[in-house]
Amino acid sequence: MAVAPPSYCFVAFPPRAKDGLVVFGKNSARPRDEVQEVMYFSAADHEPGSKVECTYISIDQVPRTHAIVISRPAWLWGAEMGANEHGVCIANEAINAREPAAETEALLGMDLVRLGLERGTTAKEALDVIVALLEEHGQGGNYYEDADSCHSFQSAYLIVDREEAWVLETVGKYWAAEQITEGVKCICNQLSLTTKIDAEHPELRSYAQSQGWWTGEDEFNFSKVFSSAEDHLDCCAGKDSIEKKAESITVQTMIDILRDKASGVCIDSESFLTTASVVSVLPQNRSSPCIHYFTGTPDPSRSIFKPFIFVDDVKLVPKAQSPCFGDNDPAKKEPRFLEKPDRRHELYKAHEWARAVIESDQEQGRQLRKTMLELEKQGLEAMEEILTSSDPLDPTEVGDLFYDCVDTEIKFFK
Protein backbone atom coordinates (compact mmCIF):
# COMPACT_ATOMS: atom_id res chain seq x y z
CA MET A 1 0.00 0.00 0.00
CA ALA A 2 1.34 3.45 -0.92
CA VAL A 3 2.49 5.60 1.98
CA ALA A 4 0.15 8.55 2.52
CA PRO A 5 2.09 11.82 2.76
CA PRO A 6 1.91 13.32 6.27
CA SER A 7 -0.04 16.54 5.61
CA TYR A 8 -1.83 18.48 8.33
CA CYS A 9 -4.99 20.67 8.29
CA PHE A 10 -6.17 22.84 11.16
CA VAL A 11 -9.11 25.01 12.16
CA ALA A 12 -9.61 27.16 15.26
CA PHE A 13 -12.89 28.79 16.31
CA PRO A 14 -13.50 31.63 18.79
CA PRO A 15 -12.83 31.91 21.66
CA ARG A 16 -9.69 29.80 20.97
CA ALA A 17 -9.16 31.94 17.89
CA LYS A 18 -8.83 35.68 18.39
CA ASP A 19 -11.28 38.54 17.76
CA GLY A 20 -14.23 36.59 16.40
CA LEU A 21 -12.13 35.03 13.63
CA VAL A 22 -12.16 31.46 12.32
CA VAL A 23 -8.56 30.51 11.39
CA PHE A 24 -7.85 27.69 8.93
CA GLY A 25 -4.46 26.29 7.84
CA LYS A 26 -2.95 23.50 5.81
CA ASN A 27 0.48 22.15 4.93
CA SER A 28 0.42 20.12 1.74
CA ALA A 29 2.98 17.31 1.91
CA ARG A 30 3.69 15.90 -1.55
CA PRO A 31 6.58 14.26 -3.46
CA ARG A 32 9.65 16.49 -3.02
CA ASP A 33 10.05 17.64 -6.62
CA GLU A 34 6.38 18.40 -7.31
CA VAL A 35 5.47 22.01 -8.13
CA GLN A 36 2.30 23.65 -6.82
CA GLU A 37 0.72 26.64 -8.51
CA VAL A 38 -1.76 29.19 -7.15
CA MET A 39 -4.69 29.70 -9.52
CA TYR A 40 -7.69 32.03 -9.48
CA PHE A 41 -10.82 31.18 -11.47
CA SER A 42 -13.63 33.73 -11.68
CA ALA A 43 -17.29 32.79 -11.24
CA ALA A 44 -18.79 31.51 -14.50
CA ASP A 45 -22.07 30.49 -16.13
CA HIS A 46 -22.12 27.26 -18.14
CA GLU A 47 -24.25 26.01 -21.01
CA PRO A 48 -26.86 23.34 -20.20
CA GLY A 49 -25.48 19.87 -20.87
CA SER A 50 -21.85 20.98 -20.76
CA LYS A 51 -19.14 18.83 -19.17
CA VAL A 52 -16.19 19.64 -16.93
CA GLU A 53 -12.96 17.76 -17.54
CA CYS A 54 -11.45 16.79 -14.17
CA THR A 55 -8.03 15.15 -13.77
CA TYR A 56 -9.01 11.75 -15.22
CA ILE A 57 -12.73 11.85 -16.06
CA SER A 58 -15.36 14.29 -17.35
CA ILE A 59 -18.56 14.91 -15.38
CA ASP A 60 -21.67 17.05 -15.85
CA GLN A 61 -21.08 20.75 -15.28
CA VAL A 62 -23.46 22.84 -13.14
CA PRO A 63 -25.17 26.02 -14.42
CA ARG A 64 -22.91 28.31 -12.34
CA THR A 65 -19.55 27.88 -10.60
CA HIS A 66 -18.28 30.22 -7.86
CA ALA A 67 -15.03 32.19 -8.00
CA ILE A 68 -12.21 30.17 -6.38
CA VAL A 69 -8.53 30.50 -5.50
CA ILE A 70 -6.62 27.23 -5.15
CA SER A 71 -3.19 25.77 -4.58
CA ARG A 72 -2.69 22.63 -6.65
CA PRO A 73 -0.04 20.25 -7.97
CA ALA A 74 0.54 21.71 -11.41
CA TRP A 75 -0.20 18.50 -13.33
CA LEU A 76 -3.78 17.97 -12.15
CA TRP A 77 -7.17 19.69 -12.42
CA GLY A 78 -8.27 19.71 -8.79
CA ALA A 79 -6.75 21.31 -5.68
CA GLU A 80 -4.92 20.40 -2.49
CA MET A 81 -6.54 23.36 -0.75
CA GLY A 82 -8.34 26.57 -1.53
CA ALA A 83 -11.23 28.93 -0.90
CA ASN A 84 -14.22 30.39 -2.70
CA GLU A 85 -15.85 33.81 -2.85
CA HIS A 86 -18.41 32.79 -0.18
CA GLY A 87 -15.78 32.17 2.50
CA VAL A 88 -15.71 28.38 2.18
CA CYS A 89 -12.25 26.76 2.59
CA ILE A 90 -11.48 23.11 1.85
CA ALA A 91 -8.35 21.00 2.22
CA ASN A 92 -7.96 17.27 1.77
CA GLU A 93 -5.79 14.50 3.12
CA ALA A 94 -4.75 11.26 1.43
CA ILE A 95 -5.75 8.38 3.72
CA ASN A 96 -4.99 4.68 3.89
CA ALA A 97 -7.87 2.59 5.17
CA ARG A 98 -8.77 -1.03 5.67
CA GLU A 99 -10.15 -1.09 2.15
CA PRO A 100 -7.49 -0.26 -0.46
CA ALA A 101 -8.30 2.74 -2.65
CA ALA A 102 -9.27 2.04 -6.25
CA GLU A 103 -6.58 2.38 -8.90
CA THR A 104 -9.29 2.73 -11.56
CA GLU A 105 -9.39 6.33 -12.77
CA ALA A 106 -12.33 8.22 -11.27
CA LEU A 107 -12.45 11.48 -9.30
CA LEU A 108 -9.38 12.25 -7.21
CA GLY A 109 -9.85 13.57 -3.69
CA MET A 110 -8.23 16.75 -5.00
CA ASP A 111 -10.85 17.04 -7.77
CA LEU A 112 -13.52 16.87 -5.08
CA VAL A 113 -11.87 19.76 -3.19
CA ARG A 114 -12.20 21.98 -6.26
CA LEU A 115 -15.71 20.77 -7.11
CA GLY A 116 -16.83 21.47 -3.53
CA LEU A 117 -15.44 25.01 -3.72
CA GLU A 118 -16.94 25.69 -7.15
CA ARG A 119 -20.40 24.47 -6.16
CA GLY A 120 -20.87 25.09 -2.40
CA THR A 121 -21.88 28.42 -0.79
CA THR A 122 -21.46 27.02 2.75
CA ALA A 123 -19.33 24.29 4.32
CA LYS A 124 -22.36 21.98 4.62
CA GLU A 125 -23.36 22.61 1.01
CA ALA A 126 -19.81 21.79 -0.14
CA LEU A 127 -19.92 18.57 1.91
CA ASP A 128 -23.22 17.60 0.23
CA VAL A 129 -21.69 18.30 -3.20
CA ILE A 130 -18.66 16.11 -2.45
CA VAL A 131 -20.59 13.11 -1.11
CA ALA A 132 -23.13 13.24 -3.99
CA LEU A 133 -20.30 13.21 -6.55
CA LEU A 134 -18.55 10.44 -4.65
CA GLU A 135 -21.72 8.34 -4.81
CA GLU A 136 -22.13 9.02 -8.54
CA HIS A 137 -18.53 8.76 -9.82
CA GLY A 138 -16.43 7.12 -7.09
CA GLN A 139 -12.83 8.02 -6.24
CA GLY A 140 -9.67 6.52 -7.66
CA GLY A 141 -6.58 6.93 -9.79
CA ASN A 142 -2.95 7.90 -9.29
CA TYR A 143 -2.30 10.67 -6.73
CA TYR A 144 1.22 11.24 -8.06
CA GLU A 145 2.76 12.07 -11.41
CA ASP A 146 4.42 8.66 -11.55
CA ALA A 147 4.47 6.31 -14.55
CA ASP A 148 6.06 3.45 -12.59
CA SER A 149 3.40 2.78 -9.97
CA CYS A 150 -0.09 3.85 -9.00
CA HIS A 151 -0.38 5.56 -5.63
CA SER A 152 -4.08 5.63 -4.80
CA PHE A 153 -5.66 6.76 -1.54
CA GLN A 154 -8.94 7.28 0.22
CA SER A 155 -9.67 10.89 1.23
CA ALA A 156 -10.46 13.03 4.23
CA TYR A 157 -11.51 16.68 4.09
CA LEU A 158 -11.64 19.69 6.37
CA ILE A 159 -14.43 21.96 5.09
CA VAL A 160 -14.75 25.33 6.82
CA ASP A 161 -16.84 28.50 6.62
CA ARG A 162 -17.42 31.49 8.92
CA GLU A 163 -19.88 29.55 11.11
CA GLU A 164 -18.77 25.92 11.27
CA ALA A 165 -16.46 23.21 9.99
CA TRP A 166 -17.05 19.64 8.88
CA VAL A 167 -14.53 16.83 9.00
CA LEU A 168 -15.49 14.43 6.20
CA GLU A 169 -13.76 11.05 5.95
CA THR A 170 -14.37 8.72 3.02
CA VAL A 171 -13.65 5.08 2.17
CA GLY A 172 -14.71 4.33 -1.41
CA LYS A 173 -18.20 5.83 -1.68
CA TYR A 174 -18.88 5.39 2.05
CA TRP A 175 -18.36 8.33 4.39
CA ALA A 176 -18.88 9.83 7.82
CA ALA A 177 -18.74 13.47 8.94
CA GLU A 178 -18.48 15.43 12.16
CA GLN A 179 -19.62 19.03 12.63
CA ILE A 180 -17.36 21.39 14.58
CA THR A 181 -18.37 24.83 15.87
CA GLU A 182 -15.91 25.47 18.69
CA GLY A 183 -12.37 24.81 19.88
CA VAL A 184 -9.60 23.54 17.61
CA LYS A 185 -9.36 20.58 15.26
CA CYS A 186 -6.50 18.95 13.38
CA ILE A 187 -6.78 16.28 10.72
CA CYS A 188 -3.92 14.38 9.10
CA ASN A 189 -3.34 11.34 6.91
CA GLN A 190 -5.22 8.92 9.16
CA LEU A 191 -8.90 8.43 9.89
CA SER A 192 -9.84 10.44 12.99
CA LEU A 193 -13.62 10.22 13.43
CA THR A 194 -14.67 7.93 16.25
CA THR A 195 -18.17 7.73 17.77
CA LYS A 196 -19.33 11.35 17.29
CA ILE A 197 -20.79 11.22 13.79
CA ASP A 198 -23.21 13.96 12.71
CA ALA A 199 -23.86 12.75 9.15
CA GLU A 200 -23.05 9.52 7.31
CA HIS A 201 -23.65 7.43 4.20
CA PRO A 202 -27.02 5.66 4.65
CA GLU A 203 -25.42 2.24 4.13
CA LEU A 204 -22.19 2.91 6.06
CA ARG A 205 -22.95 0.62 9.00
CA SER A 206 -24.55 -2.18 7.00
CA TYR A 207 -21.51 -2.15 4.68
CA ALA A 208 -19.15 -2.43 7.67
CA GLN A 209 -21.21 -5.35 8.98
CA SER A 210 -21.25 -7.09 5.59
CA GLN A 211 -17.43 -6.94 5.52
CA GLY A 212 -17.20 -8.45 9.00
CA TRP A 213 -15.56 -5.27 10.38
CA TRP A 214 -18.32 -4.46 12.86
CA THR A 215 -20.64 -6.77 14.79
CA GLY A 216 -23.51 -4.30 14.99
CA GLU A 217 -23.61 -4.83 18.74
CA ASP A 218 -20.77 -2.69 20.10
CA GLU A 219 -20.66 1.10 19.66
CA PHE A 220 -19.87 2.14 16.10
CA ASN A 221 -16.41 3.76 15.98
CA PHE A 222 -15.62 4.89 12.43
CA SER A 223 -11.79 4.92 12.77
CA LYS A 224 -11.70 1.59 14.54
CA VAL A 225 -13.92 -0.05 11.94
CA PHE A 226 -12.27 1.39 8.82
CA SER A 227 -8.60 1.98 9.72
CA SER A 228 -5.96 -0.42 8.52
CA ALA A 229 -4.39 -2.41 11.36
CA GLU A 230 -1.06 -0.56 11.36
CA ASP A 231 -2.58 2.91 11.75
CA HIS A 232 -2.19 4.60 15.12
CA LEU A 233 -5.36 6.57 15.61
CA ASP A 234 -4.04 10.00 16.33
CA CYS A 235 -2.53 12.95 14.52
CA CYS A 236 -0.47 13.68 17.57
CA ALA A 237 2.07 16.06 15.98
CA GLY A 238 -0.57 18.42 14.66
CA LYS A 239 -2.97 17.99 17.55
CA ASP A 240 -0.27 18.75 20.11
CA SER A 241 0.97 21.76 18.14
CA ILE A 242 -2.40 23.49 18.11
CA GLU A 243 -3.67 22.37 21.52
CA LYS A 244 -0.48 23.42 23.32
CA LYS A 245 -0.86 27.01 22.15
CA ALA A 246 -1.89 28.74 25.35
CA GLU A 247 -2.56 32.08 23.67
CA SER A 248 -5.50 32.70 21.38
CA ILE A 249 -4.84 31.60 17.81
CA THR A 250 -4.15 34.25 15.20
CA VAL A 251 -2.95 34.11 11.59
CA GLN A 252 0.61 34.40 12.93
CA THR A 253 0.10 31.49 15.37
CA MET A 254 -1.21 29.31 12.53
CA ILE A 255 1.75 30.26 10.31
CA ASP A 256 4.14 29.37 13.17
CA ILE A 257 2.44 25.96 13.59
CA LEU A 258 2.80 25.25 9.84
CA ARG A 259 6.50 26.23 9.95
CA ASP A 260 7.35 23.89 12.82
CA LYS A 261 9.71 21.16 11.61
CA ALA A 262 10.55 19.86 15.09
CA SER A 263 6.92 18.77 15.64
CA GLY A 264 6.71 17.06 12.24
CA VAL A 265 3.92 19.38 11.02
CA CYS A 266 6.30 20.86 8.44
CA ILE A 267 7.58 17.81 6.61
CA ASP A 268 11.01 17.71 4.99
CA SER A 269 11.95 14.05 4.53
CA GLU A 270 13.62 11.92 1.90
CA SER A 271 10.36 11.28 0.05
CA PHE A 272 8.11 14.19 1.00
CA LEU A 273 8.24 17.94 1.39
CA THR A 274 5.64 20.53 2.36
CA THR A 275 5.31 21.79 -1.23
CA ALA A 276 2.79 24.57 -0.44
CA SER A 277 0.87 26.02 2.50
CA VAL A 278 -2.20 28.15 3.13
CA VAL A 279 -3.70 30.05 6.07
CA SER A 280 -7.17 31.60 5.86
CA VAL A 281 -8.89 33.94 8.26
CA LEU A 282 -12.71 34.00 8.14
CA PRO A 283 -14.27 36.78 10.26
CA GLN A 284 -17.60 35.75 11.79
CA ASN A 285 -18.70 39.35 11.20
CA ARG A 286 -19.81 39.23 7.55
CA SER A 287 -18.98 42.87 6.89
CA SER A 288 -15.26 41.98 7.07
CA PRO A 289 -13.60 40.18 4.14
CA CYS A 290 -12.07 36.70 4.35
CA ILE A 291 -8.31 36.77 3.73
CA HIS A 292 -6.35 33.82 2.33
CA TYR A 293 -2.55 33.61 2.57
CA PHE A 294 -0.79 31.31 0.07
CA THR A 295 2.91 30.50 -0.20
CA GLY A 296 2.90 29.04 -3.75
CA THR A 297 6.37 27.70 -2.86
CA PRO A 298 7.79 24.76 -0.86
CA ASP A 299 8.76 24.72 2.82
CA PRO A 300 6.75 27.32 4.75
CA SER A 301 9.72 27.90 7.08
CA ARG A 302 11.48 29.41 4.05
CA SER A 303 8.46 30.88 2.27
CA ILE A 304 6.40 34.05 2.40
CA PHE A 305 2.66 33.84 3.11
CA LYS A 306 1.01 36.27 0.67
CA PRO A 307 -2.57 37.60 1.06
CA PHE A 308 -5.47 37.22 -1.38
CA ILE A 309 -8.94 38.79 -1.05
CA PHE A 310 -11.92 38.06 -3.33
CA VAL A 311 -13.22 41.10 -5.21
CA ASP A 312 -14.93 41.39 -8.60
CA ASP A 313 -11.81 42.32 -10.51
CA VAL A 314 -8.95 40.10 -9.37
CA LYS A 315 -5.71 40.48 -11.30
CA LEU A 316 -4.39 37.10 -12.47
CA VAL A 317 -0.88 36.09 -11.42
CA PRO A 318 0.87 34.26 -14.28
CA LYS A 319 4.15 34.27 -12.30
CA ALA A 320 2.63 31.80 -9.79
CA GLN A 321 1.18 29.61 -12.57
CA SER A 322 2.99 26.71 -14.17
CA PRO A 323 3.49 26.46 -17.94
CA CYS A 324 0.48 24.96 -19.74
CA PHE A 325 1.15 22.00 -22.06
CA GLY A 326 -2.45 21.62 -23.30
CA ASP A 327 -3.35 18.27 -24.85
CA ASN A 328 0.35 17.39 -25.11
CA ASP A 329 0.65 17.23 -21.35
CA PRO A 330 1.95 13.75 -20.40
CA ALA A 331 -0.61 13.76 -17.55
CA LYS A 332 -3.43 13.94 -20.13
CA LYS A 333 -2.13 11.33 -22.58
CA GLU A 334 -2.47 7.59 -22.04
CA PRO A 335 -0.36 5.79 -20.93
CA ARG A 336 0.15 8.67 -18.51
CA PHE A 337 3.26 10.34 -17.13
CA LEU A 338 5.75 8.90 -19.61
CA GLU A 339 7.61 12.19 -19.37
CA LYS A 340 7.86 14.77 -16.60
CA PRO A 341 7.89 18.25 -18.09
CA ASP A 342 9.42 21.19 -16.20
CA ARG A 343 6.42 22.66 -14.38
CA ARG A 344 8.31 25.31 -12.40
CA HIS A 345 6.74 28.77 -12.55
CA GLU A 346 8.59 32.06 -12.20
CA LEU A 347 7.93 32.39 -8.46
CA TYR A 348 9.07 28.79 -7.86
CA LYS A 349 12.33 29.35 -9.77
CA ALA A 350 13.10 32.59 -7.91
CA HIS A 351 12.33 30.87 -4.61
CA GLU A 352 14.66 27.95 -5.48
CA TRP A 353 17.52 30.41 -5.42
CA ALA A 354 16.43 31.69 -1.99
CA ARG A 355 16.16 28.16 -0.57
CA ALA A 356 19.65 27.33 -1.82
CA VAL A 357 21.10 30.48 -0.20
CA ILE A 358 19.36 29.79 3.11
CA GLU A 359 20.68 26.22 3.08
CA SER A 360 24.26 26.97 2.07
CA ASP A 361 25.36 30.36 3.37
CA GLN A 362 24.71 30.90 7.04
CA GLU A 363 25.13 34.68 7.24
CA GLN A 364 23.58 35.56 3.87
CA GLY A 365 20.88 32.96 4.52
CA ARG A 366 20.03 34.45 7.92
CA GLN A 367 19.79 37.94 6.43
CA LEU A 368 17.67 36.69 3.55
CA ARG A 369 15.24 34.92 5.85
CA LYS A 370 15.02 38.01 8.07
CA THR A 371 14.09 40.18 5.08
CA MET A 372 11.55 37.61 3.88
CA LEU A 373 9.84 37.62 7.28
CA GLU A 374 9.87 41.43 7.24
CA LEU A 375 8.11 41.43 3.86
CA GLU A 376 5.53 38.99 5.20
CA LYS A 377 5.02 41.05 8.36
CA GLN A 378 4.20 44.15 6.29
CA GLY A 379 1.51 42.16 4.48
CA LEU A 380 0.08 40.77 7.73
CA GLU A 381 -0.07 44.22 9.30
CA ALA A 382 -1.79 45.72 6.27
CA MET A 383 -4.39 42.93 6.39
CA GLU A 384 -4.88 43.43 10.13
CA GLU A 385 -5.78 47.05 9.38
CA ILE A 386 -8.39 45.92 6.85
CA LEU A 387 -9.93 43.52 9.41
CA THR A 388 -10.08 46.07 12.21
CA SER A 389 -11.20 49.01 10.05
CA SER A 390 -14.81 50.15 10.22
CA ASP A 391 -14.58 51.48 6.65
CA PRO A 392 -15.87 49.28 3.84
CA LEU A 393 -13.21 47.55 1.73
CA ASP A 394 -12.22 49.38 -1.45
CA PRO A 395 -12.11 46.63 -4.13
CA THR A 396 -9.73 48.63 -6.34
CA GLU A 397 -7.17 48.58 -3.52
CA VAL A 398 -7.01 44.77 -3.22
CA GLY A 399 -7.75 43.42 -6.72
CA ASP A 400 -4.02 43.17 -7.43
CA LEU A 401 -2.97 42.35 -3.86
CA PHE A 402 -1.66 38.82 -4.48
CA TYR A 403 -0.17 39.89 -7.82
CA ASP A 404 1.81 42.70 -6.16
CA CYS A 405 3.04 40.44 -3.35
CA VAL A 406 4.31 37.79 -5.80
CA ASP A 407 5.92 40.49 -7.93
CA THR A 408 7.67 42.05 -4.92
CA GLU A 409 8.89 38.63 -3.74
CA ILE A 410 10.39 37.77 -7.15
CA LYS A 411 12.10 41.17 -7.48
CA PHE A 412 13.48 40.79 -4.00
CA PHE A 413 14.98 37.36 -4.80
CA LYS A 414 16.59 38.71 -7.96
Side-chain angles (χ1 to χ4, degrees), residues 87-100:
V88 178
C89 297
I90 310 180
N92 93 312
E93 297 284 350
I95 298 273
N96 281 325
R98 201 165 194 167
E99 181 168 300

Side-chain angles (χ1 to χ4, degrees), residues 252-273:
Q252 186 63 62
T253 325
M254 189 64 81
I255 289 174
D256 293 344
I257 289 170
L258 297 184
R259 282 185 168 143
D260 187 0
K261 286 191 174 168
S263 69
V265 168
C266 178
I267 194 80
D268 188 350
S269 70
E270 210 175 305
S271 315
F272 298 117
L273 181 65

Side-chain angles (χ1 to χ4, degrees), residues 5-10 25-29 91-93 186-189 234-239 257-258 263-267:
S7 295
Y8 292 89
C9 310
F10 302 90
K26 173 172 180 187
N27 269 352
S28 170
N92 93 312
E93 297 284 350
C186 164
I187 72 164
C188 66
N189 59 320
D234 62 350
C235 295
C236 48
K239 212 161 133 227
I257 289 170
L258 297 184
S263 69
V265 168
C266 178
I267 194 80

Side-chain angles (χ1 to χ4, degrees), residues 358-373:
I358 291 171
E359 274 166 36
S360 63
D361 183 321
Q362 285 188 318
E363 186 45 41
Q364 194 192 356
R366 260 200 300 274
Q367 284 304 323
L368 181 61
R369 192 159 183 277
K370 193 175 157 198
T371 318
M372 286 168 75
L373 290 174

Side-chain angles (χ1 to χ4, degrees), residues 72 86 107 115 159 204 222 269 286 338-339 385 392 414:
R72 69 174 183 190
H86 301 289
L107 290 172
L115 291 161
I159 310 169
L204 176 72
F222 183 78
S269 70
R286 291 188 172 271
L338 293 183
E339 294 164 60
E385 276 178 36
K414 283 178 177 168

Side-chain angles (χ1 to χ4, degrees), residues 46 49-62 65 77 107 114-115 118-119 133:
H46 306 279
S50 61
K51 297 275 187 189
V52 54
E53 202 176 301
C54 303
T55 303
Y56 297 129
I57 64 167
S58 293
I59 65 169
D60 291 335
Q61 185 54 285
V62 288
T65 48
W77 178 85
L107 290 172
R114 178 168 172 181
L115 291 161
E118 287 187 339
R119 301 177 180 198
L133 290 167

